[in-house]
């Protein structure tokens, strides 16, 4: 099978390697999350805030590893995912409040939170005895080895995210289009912003297994930004973004199978390449 096409090689090996199945399912679960939340992030122009949430989650990973190692009896059930989720949600609430009440030097404040979250995680990991190889999978992704428990967790996050979008869609759309007009209509802008950022936090955790916290911004923003070049209404934008995400998490993964190219890097590079191609096509047509 070494001389066959990657597609045939991949599907042939799926019969003997269950991780290929779980990897594809993890990519699709992540696609659903970022395909639905990405358009709100791009329309609201909070990609930078989303990056800060992702990097603050590193602090939670470091805290979880530190607590589990130093206090094994009390913290045995804590996993890095739990720490990342708690830190991401706390970071989302903090950033939402800061963004609402501190307008001056906002970029500096968010950059500081971004750096502090990352630095805290690295510091705690440094003081944690032993070598923690799993940290690299959370930072840079590890779609090659995804357990069924990870797939079920991502699916549960998808259900929460989709349920919240159904409930809050009109409010989210209102603050994305015109925050001042939304406030005049009686919408609680602060609360709605925090809901959106918390959904971003859940999406970030959903994507960690696919591309990792470091590269999560690419998959969260680029497919939605690409779709926005050709679709204007939010409903179709959500659909196109989700389909494009599904394409980017499966086709590049299969295309590099059996090569030395990491599937996580292939996914991000493909997302960037599709976005740049879309920009070129749009400029040529216009």
């Amino acid at each position: 099978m070494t001389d066959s096409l990657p597609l045939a090689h991949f599907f042939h090996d799926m019969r003997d390697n269950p991780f290929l199945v779980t990897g594809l399912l993890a990519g699709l679960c992540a696609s659903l999350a970022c395909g639905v939340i990405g358009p709100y992030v791009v329309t609201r122009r909070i990609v930078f805030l989303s990056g800060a949430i992702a990097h603050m989650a590193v602090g939670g990973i470091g805290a979880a590893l530190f607590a589990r190692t130093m206090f094994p009896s009390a913290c045995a059930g804590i996993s890095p995912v739990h720490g990342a989720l708690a830190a991401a949600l706390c970071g989302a609430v903090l950033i939402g409040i800061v963004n609402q009440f501190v307008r001056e030097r906002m970029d500096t404040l968010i950059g500081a939170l971004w750096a502090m979250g990352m630095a805290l995680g690295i510091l705690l990991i440094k003081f944690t005895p032993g070598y923690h190889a799993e940290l690299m999978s959370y930072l840079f992704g590890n779609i090659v080895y995804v357990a069924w428990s990870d797939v079920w967790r991502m699916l549960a996050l998808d259900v929460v995210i989709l349920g919240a979008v159904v409930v809050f869609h009109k409010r989210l759309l209102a603050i994305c289009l015109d925050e001042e007009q939304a406030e005049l209509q009686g919408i609680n802008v602060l609360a709605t912003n925090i809901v959106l950022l918390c959904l971003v936090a859940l999406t970030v955790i959903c994507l960690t297994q696919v591309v990792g916290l470091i590269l999560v911004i690419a998959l969260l923003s680029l497919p939605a930004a690409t779709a926005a070049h050709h679709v204007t209404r939010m409903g179709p934008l959500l659909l196109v973004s989700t389909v494009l995400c599904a394409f980017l998490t499966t086709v590049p993964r299969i295309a590099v199978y059996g090569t030395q190219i990491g599937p996580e890097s292939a996914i991000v590079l493909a997302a960037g390449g599709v976005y740049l191609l879309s920009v070129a096509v749009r400029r040529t047509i216009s």
Side-chain angles (χ1 to χ4, degrees):
M1 294 298 295
T2 55
D3 296 329
S4 60
L5 294 174
L7 179 64
H9 193 184
F10 184 89
F11 285 105
H12 176 271
D13 289 351
M14 280 181 66
R15 294 177 295 181
D16 303 316
N17 187 353
F19 286 117
L20 296 180
V21 177
T22 55
L24 283 180
L25 291 176
L28 293 175
C29 288
S31 300
L32 187 57
C34 68
V36 170
I37 299 301
Y40 294 109
V41 170
V42 172
T43 305
R44 183 73 173 136
R45 297 182 179 180
I46 56 170
V47 175
F48 189 48
L49 302 187
S50 304
I53 292 173
H55 285 74
M56 290 177 73
V58 178
I61 292 175
L65 289 173
F66 180 83
R68 190 176 66 182
T69 303
M70 302 302 293
F71 311 101
S73 58
C75 304
I78 297 178
S79 73
V81 173
H82 296 147
L85 180 59
L89 289 174
C90 290
V93 174
L94 177 61
I95 288 173
I97 295 173
V98 170
N99 187 47
Q100 181 73 18
F101 296 107
V102 185
R103 298 294 184 180
E104 187 177 358
R105 299 287 184 182
M106 185 62 195
D107 56 340
T108 304
L109 288 171
I110 296 302
L113 292 173
W114 181 316
M116 288 174 63
M118 192 79 174
L120 177 62
I122 294 173
L123 180 65
L124 289 171
I125 291 167
K126 184 176 181 180
F127 284 98
T128 303
Y131 177 70
H132 301 282
E134 59 185 320
L135 174 65
M136 301 304 292
S137 67
Y138 290 108
L139 292 179
F140 300 103
N142 191 7
I143 198 173
V144 177
Y145 298 106
V146 181
W148 276 108
S149 60
D150 296 319
V151 174
W152 289 117
R153 184 189 70 246
M154 295 173 73
L155 187 59
L157 289 174
D158 282 342
V159 171
V160 174
I161 291 169
L162 288 175
V165 167
V166 170
V167 173
F168 295 103
H169 171 69
K170 291 184 178 179
R171 297 182 184 182
L172 294 174
L173 183 60
I175 65 168
C176 287
L177 297 178
D178 192 330
E179 183 177 305
E180 294 182 357
Q181 182 63 31
E183 193 169 10
L184 291 174
Q185 293 176 354
I187 295 175
N188 190 325
V189 174
L190 174 59
T192 306
N193 270 325
I194 290 177
V195 168
L196 177 56
L197 290 173
C198 285
L199 292 176
V200 170
L202 295 179
T203 305
V204 164
I205 302 304
C206 206
L207 292 175
T208 53
Q209 198 72 42
V210 179
V211 294
L213 291 170
I214 302 298
L215 304 176
V216 70
I217 302 175
L219 203 55
L220 185 60
S221 61
L222 290 177
T226 302
H229 287 161
H230 312 284
V231 181
T232 55
R233 295 179 58 191
M234 183 59 79
L237 180 59
L238 294 173
L239 177 61
V240 174
S241 176
T242 302
V243 172
L244 184 56
C245 283
F247 173 84
L248 290 169
T249 56
T250 53
V251 174
R253 163 79 179 95
I254 296 173
V256 300
Y257 181 70
T259 70
Q260 294 183 349
I261 302 174
E264 301 84 13
S265 299
I267 290 171
V268 174
L269 289 173
V274 170
Y275 174 75
L276 293 176
L277 178 62
S278 177
V279 171
V281 170
R282 189 185 184 192
R283 288 184 177 273
T284 302
I285 295 176
S286 58

